């Protein structure tokens, strides 16, 4: 806004008092104290950038038309930037919440399947690394929350579950320890 205000001041001084009346409704702009000139320019800049100055100020020269149009476009760009920043911040929070829910679901499934603690940590590390490096969930949304892990980790889970099952059968108890 300060840069636009300075541009306003430069344009007003360049075009002279007779051509600045449209902006301020103040005659003899150049005779005002510098601080009041700045405040008047700031007022015009904020109103024009925010869209509040519609219909009040009609540019009289080509230079004024171009400057006012540029300020309006700058105001639109600033609004777009603010809205996109807020949207991204809200979406990131939502993604983080979804990620935490997914981790809780995976943890529950791993507990239910009696997966060894070391393998649980590796699987949880895989999900955390994937989320931190891509910034997305990358989950398929299938019924089994473990469908998203690599084939190697799936195979290790199956081996761990098979070993657990073998330990329960009396004939395989000694074999399962090897």
């Amino acid at each position: 806004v300060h840069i636009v205000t300075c541009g306003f001041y430069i344009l007003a001084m360049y075009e002279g008092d007779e051509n600045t009346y449209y902006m301020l409704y103040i005659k003899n702009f150049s005779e005002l104290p510098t601080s009041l000139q700045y405040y008047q320019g700031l007022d015009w800049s904020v109103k024009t950038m925010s869209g509040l100055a519609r219909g009040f100020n009609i540019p009289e020269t080509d230079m004024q038309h171009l400057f006012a149009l540029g300020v309006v476009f700058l105001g639109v760009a600033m609004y777009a930037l603010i809205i996109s920043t807020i949207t991204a911040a809200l979406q990131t929070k939502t993604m983080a919440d979804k990620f935490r829910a997914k981790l809780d679901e995976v943890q529950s499934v791993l507990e239910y399947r009696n997966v060894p603690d070391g393998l649980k940590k590796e699987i949880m590390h895989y999900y955390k690394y994937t989320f931190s490096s891509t910034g997305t969930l990358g989950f398929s949304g299938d019924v089994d929350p473990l469908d998203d892990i690599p084939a190697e980790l799936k195979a290790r889970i199956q081996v761990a579950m098979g070993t657990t099952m073998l330990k329960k059968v009396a004939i395989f108890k000694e074999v399962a320890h090897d």
Side-chain angles (χ1 to χ4, degrees):
V1 175
H2 172 73
I3 293 171
V4 172
T5 302
C6 292
F8 169 87
Y9 177 80
I10 291 168
L11 182 62
M13 290 296 122
Y14 174 76
E15 294 204 333
D17 287 335
E18 63 276 356
N19 289 323
T20 58
Y21 184 70
Y22 94 94
M23 293 183 199
L24 305 170
Y25 302 116
I26 296 174
K27 293 188 179 195
N28 302 324
F29 178 75
S30 62
E31 295 174 12
L32 295 174
T34 306
S35 60
L36 188 56
Q37 289 174 347
Y38 181 81
Y39 295 136
Q40 291 295 323
L42 182 64
D43 179 61
W44 180 87
S45 299
V46 169
K47 286 179 181 175
T48 304
M49 288 179 79
S50 65
L52 296 175
R54 291 177 288 175
F56 294 114
N57 302 342
I58 301 169
E60 297 174 355
T61 66
D62 290 341
M63 185 71 79
Q64 292 170 358
H65 277 282
L66 288 173
F67 186 69
L69 187 62
V71 171
V72 169
F73 280 129
L74 182 63
V76 168
M78 287 179 60
Y79 275 125
L81 178 66
I82 291 168
I83 290 170
S84 66
T85 302
I86 291 170
T87 302
L90 292 174
Q91 187 177 17
T92 301
K93 183 177 181 345
T94 303
M95 293 288 278
D97 291 342
K98 287 181 182 178
F99 176 70
R100 281 191 286 281
K102 175 69 175 187
L103 283 184
D104 290 343
E105 185 180 3
V106 167
Q107 185 70 31
S108 297
V109 169
L110 294 175
E111 292 290 329
Y112 176 75
R113 293 184 183 177
N114 294 322
V115 175
D117 290 338
L119 189 52
K120 282 182 202 174
K121 286 181 183 177
E122 285 184 55
I123 293 168
M124 298 305 277
H125 177 73
Y126 166 77
Y127 278 113
K128 290 175 184 175
Y129 173 77
T130 302
F131 183 71
S132 67
S133 63
T134 63
T136 61
L137 296 173
F139 305 138
S140 62
D142 292 335
V143 175
D144 187 359
L146 299 179
D147 283 344
D148 301 312
I149 62 174
E152 177 190 344
L153 286 175
K154 285 181 185 178
R156 290 178 59 197
I157 290 172
Q158 290 175 345
V159 168
M161 289 175 59
T163 303
T164 303
M165 197 178 335
L166 285 176
K167 287 180 182 178
K168 293 179 181 176
V169 178
I171 196 169
F172 295 114
K173 278 187 179 181
E174 291 180 24
V175 177
H177 290 288
D178 296 334

